[in-house]
Amino acid sequence: MWVDHPDFMNLVHRVWSIPYDGRHPHVVIGKLKNLKKALKSWNYEVFGDLNANISRKSAELRVILVDQTAIRDHIVRFYVDLFSSDSDLIDLDLSIVDDIVPSLVSQEENSLLVAILSADVIHEAVFAMDALSTPGSDGFSGRFFQLCWEIVGRDVILAVHDFFHSRVVTPGLNSNFIVLLPKMRDSITIGQFRPIVLEIGTLRIVLPSHPIVLMCFIRNAMGGNVAMKIDIHKAFDTLDWKFLCRVLRAFGFSQTFMGWIVGILGSLKLSVLINRSPAGYFGCSRGVRHGDPLSPILFGIAKDFLSKLLSRMVASDQFLPISSQRGFSAPTHLLYADDVLIFCRGTVRNLRRVVHAFRVYGSISGQLVNWTKSSIFFRSSVSPAPISSLQSLVGMQIGRLPFSYLGVPLFRGKPTKLVLMLIEDKILPKFAKWKDGY
């Protein structure tokens, strides 16, 4: 609405042209604050007090059932505790990381990683941002930076370069809001909401598997071949930073690059948006954020330790993969973001080794398995006695085929018509959108 008004660009140019002293990031933050104040006044003069109108209508609909202050304090305390490092991990021996993870990043690759971004690359990053994304705590979305680039671009480029040279994120530049999105209808507990962090636009500029249907093969073992769907509790939120840095170092990432990562993670300050108002203001000492482009990459690198740990166990015959037809190399594990699938022979020895591997991983990474929410899948011909014995060993619930992984149904044997129709229902609407685009 604002950007379509004929006076908008003139206002931005006039306010942004006012001199502001300080380091380049301070200049950008200060000018954005001044512009925000000017836009609020201008909004009231041109469009009226929209916030008051919204609040008034909301008050008419809201029925207060409990103490709102107590709710706010409870929610803030929950996220302060969630993003605080586990004291049990402080003095942990991480030498196993160096034993499992090979050094793969070459000097040439490190040089490319730490090269200072050119103005053209920063410009490209800005215009690759989602123009319609929700604004961060500074109140400005990607569309603002794109439309006003001719006015604000030089200051933004200087602020980005300042971070790469100093490795310091200016206070206030990495202060963000947590928005709580319900995972299901009628969500009432904190665990039923997913925390999404709204990033400040300037920081977003700094931060520039195929579906698989698995055929299970049946061979002799106490529980036959089994699959395990592992649920890691709050996976993104509980990743330990010391573990992450140790994995990055083991892979061969340079100290400069790791310094940038530590600077971004350590400077984060959060407030929780409750009924459109921010509550709390606290730092973090673990976890990576939902919603920013860097988090899935860092999370994947850290979790590759688990993949290499399981592969090492397979290579040393500590972990036996599922039996399969001759000439077919059966998978042992699939890891995608916080989704984990394990495939192995259903023996007591095998399952004990798998459980031990996840406990080792959890003890050094902070990534603890929620065993009661995890599932183990057996072939239909296995008798109840072995199933009961193995289930009690791993502490998982019994799963039933077919089940979904990354939205794709997994099943045994030939796919049924119903399974294929489920996949067809997801693909056809995408074809229709592609067709409309041409």
Side-chain angles (χ1 to χ4, degrees):
M1 181 171 64
W2 282 356
V3 297
D4 295 326
H5 195 279
D7 294 335
F8 173 76
M9 294 299 289
N10 291 332
L11 175 64
V12 173
H13 186 274
R14 177 170 55 81
V15 176
W16 201 268
S17 299
I18 299 173
Y20 197 98
D21 295 331
R23 286 177 49 212
H24 298 303
H26 286 107
V27 170
V28 172
I29 293 173
K31 289 187 175 183
L32 286 175
K33 286 182 178 179
N34 291 340
L35 181 58
K36 190 174 183 178
K37 292 178 181 178
L39 286 171
K40 283 184 176 179
S41 299
W42 177 72
N43 172 76
Y44 185 85
E45 295 171 1
V46 177
F47 299 104
D49 193 348
L50 297 181
N51 287 331
N53 294 335
I54 293 173
S55 299
R56 185 167 55 254
K57 293 300 182 183
S58 299
E60 293 172 1
L61 298 173
R62 187 184 302 122
V63 178
I64 301 177
L65 300 178
V66 293
D67 184 355
Q68 298 295 308
T69 301
I71 291 178
R72 289 166 65 92
D73 292 345
H74 178 66
I75 293 174
V76 170
R77 174 50 54 189
F78 176 85
Y79 284 105
V80 168
D81 294 341
L82 178 62
F83 293 120
S84 297
S85 59
D86 189 342
S87 58
D88 293 336
L89 301 178
I90 292 176
D91 299 320
L92 213 65
D93 182 7
L94 295 174
S95 58
I96 187 176
V97 174
D98 301 323
D99 181 51
I100 297 295
V101 177
S103 180
L104 299 176
V105 183
S106 67
Q107 184 175 349
E108 292 76 17
E109 289 167 330
N110 268 315
S111 297
L112 290 174
L113 280 173
V114 300
I116 304 300
L117 300 181
S118 68
D120 289 339
V121 172
I122 296 173
H123 176 275
E124 184 178 337
V126 170
F127 284 83
M129 293 165 62
D130 183 0
L132 300 179
S133 63
T134 304
S137 61
D138 59 2
F140 296 92
S141 66
R143 190 183 184 195
F144 165 78
F145 288 97
Q146 292 165 0
L147 288 174
C148 303
W149 188 248
E150 293 298 323
I151 301 171
V152 307
R154 180 180 178 277
D155 287 321
V156 170
I157 290 171
L158 292 174
V160 172
H161 283 167
D162 182 273
F163 164 75
F164 285 116
H165 286 296
S166 67
R167 305 185 200 176
V168 175
V169 178
T170 301
L173 193 60
N174 199 7
S175 299
N176 302 306
F177 291 145
I178 297 176
V179 175
L180 304 180
L181 301 181
K183 298 179 182 178
M184 59 191 76
R185 293 185 63 183
D186 302 321
S187 297
I188 56 175
T189 65
I190 297 180
Q192 294 172 340
F193 289 84
R194 187 182 307 280
I196 302 296
V197 175
L198 303 181
E199 292 180 279
I200 287 182
T202 312
L203 189 67
R204 273 185 286 182
I205 300 167
V206 174
L207 303 177
S209 118
H210 298 294
I212 295 176
V213 178
L214 181 73
M215 301 296 185
C216 301
F217 298 91
I218 301 176
R219 290 293 184 273
N220 293 326
M222 178 180 177
N225 292 327
V226 301
M228 288 177 280
K229 189 176 182 182
I230 306 296
D231 180 88
I232 296 180
H233 179 67
K234 301 288 184 183
F236 271 69
D237 304 325
T238 58
L239 179 63
D240 186 75
W241 291 353
K242 294 187 296 296
F243 171 76
L244 170 62
C245 290
R246 189 63 172 256
V247 172
L248 290 172
R249 190 181 79 177
F251 271 120
F253 288 95
S254 69
Q255 288 296 323
T256 298
F257 179 78
M258 290 172 57
W260 291 346
I261 299 301
V262 171
I264 292 172
L265 294 175
S267 62
L268 176 62
K269 299 290 184 182
L270 294 174
S271 298
V272 186
L273 278 182
I274 303 173
N275 294 331
R276 298 188 294 114
S277 298
Y281 187 72
F282 53 91
C284 304
S285 54
R286 69 172 179 179
V288 290
R289 293 165 294 175
H290 295 270
D292 87 60
L294 189 62
S295 290
I297 300 172
L298 293 176
F299 186 82
I301 291 174
K303 204 165 184 180
D304 198 41
F305 167 84
L306 174 61
S307 178
K308 287 179 165 42
L309 175 62
L310 294 172
S311 297
R312 173 78 65 86
M313 293 172 63
V314 172
S316 58
D317 293 327
Q318 298 180 59
F319 173 38
L320 301 179
I322 61 177
S323 304
S324 59
Q325 295 175 338
R326 183 176 299 176
F328 177 80
S329 180
T332 56
H333 55 278
L334 296 174
L335 281 70
Y336 183 86
D338 56 349
D339 290 298
V340 181
L341 278 182
I342 303 293
F343 306 97
C344 66
R345 299 184 199 176
T347 66
V348 171
R349 175 179 176 271
N350 231 23
L351 296 187
R352 279 178 175 166
R353 292 285 174 83
V354 171
V355 171
H356 176 71
F358 275 94
R359 284 178 177 158
V360 169
Y361 174 65
S363 69
I364 61 176
S365 68
Q367 306 274 280
L368 301 179
V369 174
N370 191 334
W371 296 106
T372 58
K373 286 189 176 181
S374 300
S375 303
I376 184 168
F377 301 84
F378 297 90
R379 60 189 175 94
S380 57
S381 59
V382 178
S383 60
I387 288 179
S388 178
S389 176
L390 294 175
Q391 180 195 16
S392 62
L393 176 66
V394 296
M396 299 181 187
Q397 59 185 341
I398 302 296
R400 296 286 183 267
L401 292 172
F403 68 94
S404 291
Y405 179 71
L406 303 180
V408 177
L410 302 187
F411 51 87
R412 184 176 66 86
K414 291 183 178 181
T416 63
K417 183 177 180 180
L418 176 61
V419 168
L420 294 178
M421 286 178 63
L422 291 173
I423 299 175
E424 180 185 36
D425 290 343
K426 292 184 177 182
I427 294 177
L428 288 180
K430 296 184 182 296
F431 285 158
K433 290 181 180 179
W434 293 340
K435 184 178 179 179
D436 292 340
Y438 292 93

